[in-house]
Amino acid sequence: QVQLVESGGGLVQTGGSLRLSCAASVRSFSYYAVGWFRRPSGKEREFVAALRGTAGIAYYAESVKGRFTISADGANNTVYLQLDSLRHEETAVYYCAGERLYGTAVSWVDWGRGTQVTVSS
């Protein structure tokens, strides 16, 4: 029902930057959190960053701290992920997702189709 659409992926060289966007058909802050995940080819999906809209708290995987920044534009129902100092091993399909709170449990219930980020060495 809810649609999340990522954009902004592309090909960059090691050390380059990219800004990814995730546009939602609902207000971003209607989710408990909005997050970014990535899946390198042939590997498991991993958490990258998330933003709790209500609390305004950002979370990052340790490997990306200091290099990636998550932000949101509530007026446009869009969440961004700024990727700086990209590394070759971070080549992956990047997905945004929306998290819902069910009682005391949370679950990532909505996912975008992903956008490819390729970092050349």
Side-chain angles (χ1 to χ4, degrees):
Q1 183 70 252
V2 177
Q3 296 184 7
L4 301 175
V5 181
E6 303 95 335
S7 62
L11 174 65
V12 298
Q13 293 187 331
T14 297
S17 298
L18 214 56
R19 189 174 82 152
L20 308 182
S21 298
C22 174
S25 61
V26 298
R27 288 189 290 274
S28 297
F29 289 172
S30 68
Y31 289 113
Y32 182 73
V34 175
W36 286 93
F37 296 77
R38 65 189 177 193
R39 186 194 294 275
S41 181
K43 297 182 174 63
E44 299 293 328
R45 181 180 64 203
E46 65 180 14
F47 170 78
V48 177
L51 182 69
R52 286 189 181 182
T54 301
I57 303 297
Y59 301 86
Y60 298 95
E62 289 188 0
S63 65
V64 308
K65 279 188 175 181
R67 297 186 299 114
F68 292 6
T69 305
I70 188 170
S71 62
D73 180 351
N76 293 306
N77 299 329
T78 303
V79 175
Y80 303 95
L81 184 67
Q82 177 69 38
L83 300 80
D84 293 325
S85 301
L86 281 162
R87 302 164 180 170
H88 174 66
E89 61 267 30
E90 292 176 313
T91 291
V93 176
Y94 284 68
Y95 301 89
C96 66
E99 188 177 50
R100 298 284 189 186
L101 175 65
Y102 299 96
T104 58
V106 293
S107 180
W108 296 99
V109 298
D110 295 319
W111 293 83
R113 289 163 289 181
T115 185
Q116 177 72 45
V117 170
T118 302
V119 185
S120 62
S121 59

